[in-house]
Amino acid sequence: MTADELFPEVLAGHVALCIECNTNTRAPVPVRWIESSSGPGTTLYACPDHVADLTPGPFPGELERGA
């Protein structure tokens, strides 16, 4: 085991994985929401470099019947 594995870099603040490039970003932008049949849904994020390339949505409430 290496020192990098024992002491990984810890990022401060809100960090999320970009769904486009699969890298951690410190400035995540929510782009999609996945509904769950049990428990809360999941928000997917993109980094600022890729957010313009993705189509946003759906977000909570947009898929409800009658909306």
Side-chain angles (χ1 to χ4, degrees), residues 17-44:
L17 188 68
C18 174
I19 63 171
E20 189 68 19
C21 63
N22 293 323
T23 59
N24 284 325
T25 176
R26 293 182 187 193
V29 179
V31 291
R32 290 195 179 91
W33 183 73
I34 299 174
E35 187 174 353
S36 175
S37 60
S38 63
T42 302
T43 303
L44 302 178

